[in-house]
């Protein structure tokens, strides 16, 4: 099929490259001419394992980029809206980018003679596709959804660092459609993917995305709450959760205690669901506590540090890990951010290292020192805070010898203290 993708960020670029891999002809639309040039050169604007290989394989063949909406719509049968939906702290979503994309699409569809389907892949609260998107499309295209205009919602369930794999080997595909024709067209795009398609209405599809992420976030905060209790009782929470996770009703995934969750999805989506519930005059106390636990969790790293090192001012502290998780350069809602902010408030001299995310973190904290290796960050440090689950950090051992004081606070249960020589080890929840 012929597909156009609006937005070339994380979701858009992965969706475009993977649809091309599945044999579809794909046109990326972005208003940023530099991103268009970059995409046409075969370089994705975000780092994701395997993404650049797919781009280079298909660019100029089944994959091109343009800033021309008219060209993209005229040369495709279906358009995916994959733009950002940022939200405020109270959960209110900013739909301005979605609205702008819908307007541009509607204007281009107006001059097209053939049937066209629009699919929202951006994460939006229930009612957005049939409300905001539909009304704008109909106003500017002069068409009626369900007649000469198809409308659907196809949420993504991609893990950063594993997005290409997850797209091509999903555990679920959800298509929410306005009518059978829209459903058939969107579902047909996945005909060569070995996964059953779940067919629902549009609002249900929007809700599935939020509930999916909210449940995973809840598991993480639950594990951290239990971990905090275990810490005070002298119990290894990982042994507890290993046994609990063997229950088939529970599953071991997302039960690892640590510094909390971050990224572009979990914090934003839980807050958006909270905001939507409050708009309906319902107070979601469980979801509120999920966010509260997550906000407080990383700050316990600093509390442990102060207990071990009462005077932090002017002390050199190594922070290893800046991305919100391993295998990505994404620092959005990284749990390192509140930790670094608190350390700066206390006057610490911070030396930080991350395999991929240092350049992004420099935009947030230009005043701290960034090193090119973990070894450089550790040299002369009074303490080390381990924040991200990078595999290279699991191999650290003799590198701690260069510290002035070999104090290690592990926020991700990466290292076994029994295998570390003369290191003063303290786990966050264990």
């Amino acid at each position: 099929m012929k597909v156009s993708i609006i937005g070339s960020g994380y979701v858009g670029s992965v969706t475009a490259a993977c649809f091309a891999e599945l044999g579809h002809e794909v046109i990326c639309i972005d208003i940023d001419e530099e991103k268009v040039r970059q995409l046409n050169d075969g370089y994705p604007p975000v780092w994701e394992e395997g993404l650049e290989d797919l781009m280079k394989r298909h660019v100029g063949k089944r994959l091109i980029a343009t800033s021309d909406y008219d060209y993209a719509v005229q040369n495709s049968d279906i358009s995916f809206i994959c733009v950002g939906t940022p939200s405020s702290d109270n959960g209110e979503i900013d739909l301005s980018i979605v609205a702008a994309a819908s307007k541009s699409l509607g204007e281009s569809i107006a001059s097209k003679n053939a049937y066209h389907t629009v699919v929202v892949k951006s994460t939006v609260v229930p009612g957005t596709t049939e409300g905001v998107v539909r009304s704008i499309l109909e106003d500017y295209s002069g068409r009626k959804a369900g007649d000469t205009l198809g409308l659907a919602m196809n949420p993504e369930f991609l893990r950063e660092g594993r997005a290409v794999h997850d797209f091509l080997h999903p555990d679920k595909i959800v298509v929410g459609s306005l009518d059978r024709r829209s459903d058939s067209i969107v579902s047909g795009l996945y005909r060569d993917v070995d996964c059953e398609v779940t067919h629902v209405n549009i609002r249900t599809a929007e809700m599935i995305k939020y509930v999916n992420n909210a449940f995973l976030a809840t598991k993480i905060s639950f594990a951290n709450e239990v971990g905090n209790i275990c810490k005070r009782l002298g119990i290894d929470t990982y042994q507890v959760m290993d046994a609990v996770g063997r229950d088939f009703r529970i599953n071991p995934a997302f039960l690892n205690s640590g510094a909390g969750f971050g990224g572009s999805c979990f914090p934003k989506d839980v807050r958006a669901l909270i905001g939507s519930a409050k708009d309906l005059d319902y107070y979601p106390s469980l979801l509120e506590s999920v966010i509260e636990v997550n906000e407080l969790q990383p700050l316990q790293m600093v509390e442990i540090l102060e207990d071990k090192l009462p005077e932090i001012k002017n002390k050199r502290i190594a922070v290893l890990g800046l991305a919100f998780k391993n295998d990505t350069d994404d620092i959005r809602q990284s749990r390192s951010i509140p930790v670094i902010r608190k350390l700066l408030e206390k006057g610490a001299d911070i030396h930080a290292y991350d395999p991929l995310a240092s350049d992004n973190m420099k935009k947030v904290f230009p005043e701290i020192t960034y090193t090119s290796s973990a070894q450089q960050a550790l040299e002369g440090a009074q303490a080390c805070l381990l924040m991200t689950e990078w595999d290279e950090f699991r191999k650290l051992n003799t590198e701690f010898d260069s510290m002035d004081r070999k104090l290690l606070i592990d926020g991700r249960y990466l290292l076994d203290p029994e295998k570390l020589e003369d290191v003063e080890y303290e786990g966050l929840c264990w």
Side-chain angles (χ1 to χ4, degrees):
M1 294 179 68
K2 296 181 178 181
V3 183
S4 54
I5 307 289
I6 297 90
S8 59
Y10 169 71
V11 175
S13 57
V14 170
T15 299
C18 289
F19 273 146
E21 178 72 4
L22 292 173
H24 304 297
E25 296 179 33
V26 182
I27 303 173
C28 294
I29 309 172
D30 202 293
I31 60 175
D32 186 332
E33 294 289 353
E34 177 58 28
K35 282 188 177 181
V36 170
R37 183 199 62 76
Q38 186 178 351
L39 288 165
N40 283 325
D41 287 341
Y43 296 100
V46 297
W47 190 93
E48 184 65 39
E49 184 177 357
L51 182 57
E52 187 174 328
D53 291 341
L54 289 187
M55 285 279 186
K56 289 187 178 298
R57 184 182 308 161
H58 299 298
V59 72
K61 301 171 185 175
R62 289 201 291 264
L63 178 63
I64 62 171
T66 182
S67 59
D68 189 338
Y69 268 85
D70 289 339
Y71 172 81
V73 170
Q74 291 293 336
N75 290 277
S76 62
D77 307 305
I78 180 171
S79 296
F80 280 79
I81 297 176
C82 300
V83 298
T85 54
S87 65
S88 62
D89 289 340
N90 65 4
E92 184 176 345
I93 287 186
D94 180 358
L95 293 173
S96 60
I97 310 175
V98 171
S102 301
K103 177 178 178 290
S104 297
L105 271 177
E107 291 172 338
S108 296
I109 292 170
S111 60
K112 182 177 182 178
N113 293 323
Y115 180 91
H116 197 86
T117 303
V118 175
V119 185
V120 175
K121 204 166 188 69
S122 301
T123 301
V124 293
V125 295
T128 301
T129 302
E130 291 176 288
V132 175
V133 175
R134 179 177 182 172
S135 63
I136 294 175
L137 286 172
E138 291 182 337
D139 286 346
Y140 286 91
S141 70
R143 301 188 183 196
K144 183 178 180 181
D147 184 10
T148 55
L149 176 67
L151 186 66
M153 204 281 165
N154 176 217
E156 53 84 13
F157 303 97
L158 307 176
R159 296 169 295 170
E160 290 195 43
R162 298 279 292 171
V164 170
H165 176 274
D166 288 351
F167 193 104
L168 298 174
H169 307 280
D171 54 14
K172 59 179 171 292
I173 297 171
V174 176
V175 175
S177 57
L178 186 66
D179 53 26
R180 289 185 178 180
R181 186 174 184 181
S182 301
D183 178 87
S184 178
I185 290 171
V186 179
S187 299
L189 290 167
Y190 298 98
R191 63 183 179 273
D192 293 328
V193 178
D194 185 20
C195 182
E196 180 181 354
V197 176
T198 299
H199 305 274
V200 294
N201 62 41
I202 289 175
R203 286 195 174 204
T204 302
E206 292 167 331
M207 190 63 171
I208 288 171
K209 167 66 177 180
Y210 277 102
V211 173
N212 192 97
N213 283 354
F215 182 72
L216 296 177
T218 300
K219 288 187 73 174
I220 295 171
S221 282
F222 174 78
N224 286 338
E225 190 96 281
V226 170
N228 294 337
I229 297 170
C230 286
K231 173 81 171 180
R232 287 155 175 79
L233 290 171
I235 297 170
D236 187 336
T237 187
Y238 271 71
Q239 290 184 353
V240 173
M241 288 308 187
D242 177 67
V244 170
R246 294 173 188 270
D247 190 318
F248 74 94
R249 298 166 299 178
I250 296 176
N251 186 287
F254 291 86
L255 287 180
N256 292 336
S257 297
F261 58 81
S264 63
C265 294
F266 285 6
K268 176 175 73 74
D269 292 351
V270 175
R271 286 192 173 96
L273 192 55
I274 290 170
S276 294
K278 289 181 178 178
D279 287 342
L280 298 170
D281 200 27
Y282 177 80
Y283 185 81
S285 57
L286 176 60
L287 295 180
E288 287 274 22
S289 66
V290 168
I291 293 296
E292 182 182 4
V293 170
N294 196 59
E295 290 301 301
L296 294 174
Q297 194 68 13
L299 297 180
Q300 294 193 60
M301 298 282 288
V302 181
E303 290 180 11
I304 294 173
L305 175 62
E306 287 189 296
D307 183 57
K308 300 288 183 179
L309 190 67
E311 182 55 60
I312 295 177
K313 188 175 182 180
N314 297 325
K315 295 294 194 301
R316 180 165 172 170
I317 308 297
V319 177
L320 300 186
L322 302 172
F324 86 92
K325 61 176 288 188
N326 58 309
D327 297 329
T328 181
D329 63 352
D330 195 345
I331 63 166
R332 285 176 289 182
Q333 297 294 317
S334 167
R335 298 297 80 193
S336 295
I337 292 175
V339 168
I340 292 173
R341 184 174 292 120
K342 182 62 70 174
L343 290 175
L344 286 174
E345 289 175 4
K346 295 179 178 294
D349 174 22
I350 301 171
H351 289 242
Y353 168 71
D354 188 281
L356 289 176
S358 291
D359 287 343
N360 288 335
M361 193 63 88
K362 285 177 184 178
K363 300 171 186 176
V364 182
F365 298 112
E367 66 269 43
I368 70 175
T369 302
Y370 296 88
T371 66
S372 58
S373 68
Q375 177 71 61
Q376 288 183 1
L378 291 169
E379 288 177 3
Q382 294 287 321
C384 170
L385 306 186
L386 202 50
M387 299 298 302
T388 310
E389 299 170 281
W390 287 101
D391 282 342
E392 69 174 85
F393 296 162
R394 300 179 191 276
K395 303 171 186 176
L396 293 174
N397 193 332
T398 57
E399 290 83 356
F400 296 112
D401 292 342
S402 64
M403 297 176 68
D404 276 2
R405 177 181 175 181
K406 294 195 288 184
L407 171 59
L408 170 62
I409 301 172
D410 189 349
R412 297 295 179 184
Y413 204 76
L414 283 178
L415 297 174
D416 183 349
E418 295 184 0
K419 296 180 180 179
L420 298 174
E421 295 182 6
D422 302 321
V423 173
E424 188 180 352
Y425 177 96
E426 190 72 33
L428 175 57
C429 295
W430 49 91

